[in-house]
Structure formats: structure tokens, C-alpha cells
Amino acid sequence: MLRVWFEIPLWQRVLTALILGVLTGYAWGPEAESIKWIGDFFIKSIKMLVVPLIFFSLVAGVAAIGDLRKLGAVGGRAMILFIVTGQIAVWLGLALGTFVQPGAGVDTSAIQKGATPEPNPTTAVDMILSIVPESPVQVMADVAVLPLIVFSLLIGIGILMAGKDGEPVQKIFDSGAVVMQKVTMIVMELTPFGVFALMAWVAGTLGMDALVSLAKLVGLNYLGCLLIIALIYGSMIKFLAKLPVRDFFRGIVDAMAVSYSTASSNATLPVTLRCAERNLGVSNSVASFVIALGATINMNGTAMYLGLATLFGAQIFGVDLSMGDYFLISILATLGAVGAAGIPGAGLIMMALVFGAVGVPLETIAFVAGVDRIMDMMRTTTNVSGDAAVATTVAVMTGEIDTAEMISADDV
């Protein structure tokens, strides 16, 4: 029986748990709160992963860039494009969440918020000083995400500067990142049980309003991802690479299909490389470096979603966010997306990072966990498309592309 359970794809188990949880909640009513502790256990398991996953993944991601002195134009241009498009993506998510307000109108008076620390009002100087960790160990214990991210980036840069002497340390962090991905996969196996309990609690105490808001969130997630693909990546190919946009998307259609079905950037990596080299004419050296790096740190779909989900939670629970909070969300969502492993469901862990920094209750995860896989599929497609777009653009800028290899409309 147990073997049969694990043979069912996780997303199918989660979707089934979502449906059963909603039905149970409607039938049971407010008494469904008695099983909420199962969902709380799931959320605590997610919180447990935040610090080690960010620490190992960010350090390994920065170290994966290689020798900064040798990367030159390819690495510099790729990093600039990753950062700029990531910031545009997260502000797009914030804009969609602000104007549409998918979480507005849900009455949460029937439930109690957990002990999520409220953000303290700080000045710009205080924020600048707070990013320097006086004690990295204390920062990890307190789950102070911004100084943790800064410390992780510095460790990664230090490994690059150390060259060969830093390789043994880099291997430790590479192995640590892989181990944390495996641990994440173990925790993700708890998702069906957590989703069932949380959705029963939500449906039993909040009713149909919460589910309508959830449907709006799913729609905005798809809209935001489609806008990133069509406008940001399309403009990059048309104006920076000066290549036919239609031919570009025809060339990566296989990678987009695989990424949507697997919801994993890492699993799609071989297909993305093949599409970039065979269909788009990108040189092997540029494609292998930029796309492999992008699969680790280029998560525009995830960044957009983290911004959108944070506003969703703030609207549901009535948390007022200042413009300073918006800027903090933009930074943490971009860097948090970098730390998100390229495996299904990792975005849920990154939510705890962003939510805690601006005082959004972690109960928000209860609303989104059940349909996260549906949204994750589209986010991954966005991420993978971005990897190919950046690789193609950088290849054009550095003369490492054979445009004759790019498929034309007549070839399809």
C-alpha cells in the first residue's frame, strides 16, 4: 500500500488532498480546526529548511560562476541580465497584486494568526546597518534573512577570489546544496497531509471567499508569467539580440513543454541546452555556462510569484505594507528566488523567507500550498525560457552564435 502511494506523482497526491480537504472542511465546518496541527507541522518543517537551504544554495550558486577574472564579457552580461530581469519580474508581481488585490475581502476573524514577528519600523540607515551580520551564527539562529543572504554572497565571492585554494570549500557547499535539495524533497512528501489539513481548516472557517481569492491568485500567476515571457523575453530577443522573436520561441518549444510538465529547471536542463545549441545556434561554451548558471540563479517566474504571494498574504490578514516594505520584498524575492532549488515545490520554502521579513503570517502558505504545483509549472516554464533568452542574447553580444542554425518559420 505504501509503495503504491509513492508511485503516484506528488502533484497528483497534493491535488487530491486539496479537493478532499475542501470537501472535508465544508462538511465539518469550524470543527475542522482540530486537525490544523497537521498543517502547522508541515509549515514548521518548511521553516526548518529556510536557513540551511539559502546558505548552501546561495554560496554554491555564486561559486558556480567560476573565476570572475576569466569569465569576462559572458559572465558579466549574463549576471546583469539575470538581475535586471529578476527585478522587473518581482515588481510586475507587486504591481499585479497591488492593482487586482486577490486577497482582499476575505474575513479572517474566525482564525488566529500564528506568532509571526511583526516588522519593526526602521530608518534607511538602520536597514543598511542591519545587513551586516555581527554574528553569522546568531543571524542563522534568529533567521535574519537579509544579513544571512549578504553573508552567503560574501562567502561565495570569497571562494571565487581564493581560486584553487577555495575549491575544497566549494565542493563542500556544492555537496551541501545537493543534500539540502534531497532534504527538501523529503519534506515535500509531507505536502499532501499538510495541504489536506490546512485546506480543511481554511474551507471550514473561511468558506467560499478564500477559494475565490485563491483562484484569482492562480490566474494572476499565469498572467504574470505570460507577461514576462512575451514582453520581457520578447523585447530582449527583438531589441538586444535583434533576432526574430517567433523563431526564438519556436526553437525552445520543447524545453518549455518539458519544464511545464516536470516543474523542474534542473530536470529540463539537458533539453534547454539542446534547444539553445541545435535550434538557436548558441555556441556550446556560452550555452553550457549561461543555461547551467541560469538553472541555479535565474528564477524570474519564482521572483514574480514571491512578490505576488506576499501581497496576497498581506491583503488576507490585513498587514499594511509601506514602500520600504515593497523595496525589501523586491530584494528578498529576487535573492530568495536565487536560493530556490530547481526542484518542484521549493518556492514554498522561500515564502517563509519573504513573509517573515515583512510581517506576513505564515498561515498564508495554507492558502497557496494546495495549488502551488499548478502555479509552479508555469513559473518553471518562465524560468527556463529566461535561461534560453539570456543565453541567446549574450551569445549575440559576444559573437558566439550561428544565426543560420536558428530555425525559421518555414522549417516548422
Side-chain angles (χ1 to χ4, degrees):
M1 185 67 178
L2 187 63
R3 181 178 180 181
V4 174
W5 168 262
F6 286 108
E7 287 178 351
I8 302 173
L10 179 61
W11 70 270
Q12 293 183 11
R13 284 180 273 154
V14 171
L15 186 59
T16 302
L18 166 68
I19 297 172
L20 292 177
V22 171
L23 295 176
T24 301
Y26 274 123
W28 204 352
E31 296 299 320
E33 188 172 0
S34 61
I35 62 171
K36 179 178 173 288
W37 68 269
I38 301 175
D40 292 337
F41 182 88
F42 170 60
I43 292 177
K44 287 178 68 69
S45 300
I46 288 178
K47 292 172 63 178
M48 172 186 68
L49 299 178
V50 171
V51 168
L53 185 62
I54 290 175
F55 184 52
F56 282 106
S57 296
L58 275 182
V59 174
V62 174
I65 296 174
D67 190 343
L68 290 174
R69 294 169 298 181
K70 295 181 180 179
L71 293 179
V74 173
R77 286 180 170 87
M79 288 302 298
I80 290 174
L81 289 173
F82 286 152
I83 294 172
V84 171
T85 56
Q87 276 293 292
I88 295 174
V90 70
W91 280 103
L92 173 62
L94 290 171
L96 290 173
T98 299
F99 290 112
V100 179
Q101 297 193 351
V106 179
D107 182 9
T108 58
S109 60
I111 63 175
Q112 297 293 323
K113 292 188 293 184
T116 302
E118 296 293 330
N120 296 320
T122 57
T123 64
V125 174
D126 292 333
M127 183 174 293
I128 293 174
L129 292 177
S130 68
I131 69 175
V132 181
E134 295 183 6
S135 169
V137 176
Q138 187 64 43
V139 163
M140 294 180 182
D142 294 339
V143 197
V145 292
L146 197 55
L148 172 62
I149 288 174
V150 171
F151 180 69
S152 302
L153 294 176
L154 289 175
I155 294 294
I157 293 172
I159 291 174
L160 291 178
M161 295 176 66
K164 290 186 177 180
D165 291 336
E167 289 180 359
V169 179
Q170 180 179 350
K171 290 181 180 179
I172 293 175
F173 280 98
D174 287 342
S175 298
V178 173
V179 170
M180 286 311 305
Q181 289 185 18
K182 301 301 182 183
V183 175
T184 300
M185 293 174 68
I186 294 174
V187 172
M188 286 298 102
E189 289 296 330
L190 299 175
T191 306
F193 307 102
V195 165
F196 172 80
L198 291 171
M199 290 309 298
W201 165 63
V202 168
T205 55
L206 300 183
M208 183 60 69
D209 288 343
L211 301 182
V212 171
S213 294
L214 191 61
K216 291 180 182 178
L217 178 67
V218 174
L220 287 178
N221 175 81
Y222 272 72
L223 175 61
C225 288
L226 290 173
L227 289 174
I228 292 173
I229 293 173
L231 299 182
I232 299 178
Y233 301 156
S235 298
M236 189 187 304
I237 295 300
K238 182 176 179 63
F239 298 109
L240 294 181
K242 300 186 186 307
L243 294 173
V245 176
R246 179 179 297 181
D247 290 351
F248 167 77
F249 285 114
R250 287 176 182 270
I252 65 169
V253 65
D254 288 345
M256 295 176 73
V258 173
S259 63
Y260 188 82
S261 60
T262 62
S264 171
S265 298
N266 290 341
T268 313
L269 184 58
V271 183
T272 312
L273 284 170
R274 186 184 64 199
C275 289
E277 294 177 21
R278 295 184 182 181
N279 297 344
L280 304 178
V282 178
S283 68
N284 176 265
S285 59
V286 171
S288 58
F289 167 70
V290 175
I291 292 177
L293 179 64
T296 304
I297 70 172
N298 182 41
M299 303 289 178
N300 292 338
T302 304
M304 182 279 300
Y305 174 65
L306 288 176
L308 176 61
T310 304
L311 290 190
F312 177 74
Q315 291 158 9
I316 285 179
F317 290 102
V319 178
D320 292 327
L321 299 178
S322 65
M323 184 54 65
D325 291 327
Y326 272 56
F327 279 103
L328 182 59
I329 292 170
S330 73
I331 295 172
L332 293 180
T334 302
L335 296 178
V338 171
I343 56 177
L348 286 175
I349 288 94
M350 294 302 107
M351 285 183 194
L353 180 157
V354 183
F355 291 174
V358 294
V360 173
L362 294 183
E363 281 85 353
T364 305
I365 297 176
F367 290 84
V368 302
V371 293
D372 183 71
R373 173 70 184 212
I374 299 173
M375 296 186 286
D376 196 11
M377 294 163 71
M378 190 65 204
R379 298 198 304 266
T380 304
T381 302
T382 305
N383 298 338
V384 168
S385 301
D387 297 341
V390 171
T392 303
T393 302
V394 170
V396 170
M397 291 178 173
T398 56
E400 294 285 340
I401 190 171
D402 182 2
T403 54
E405 291 292 326
M406 179 174 282
I407 64 172
S408 65
D410 296 334
D411 295 327
V412 179

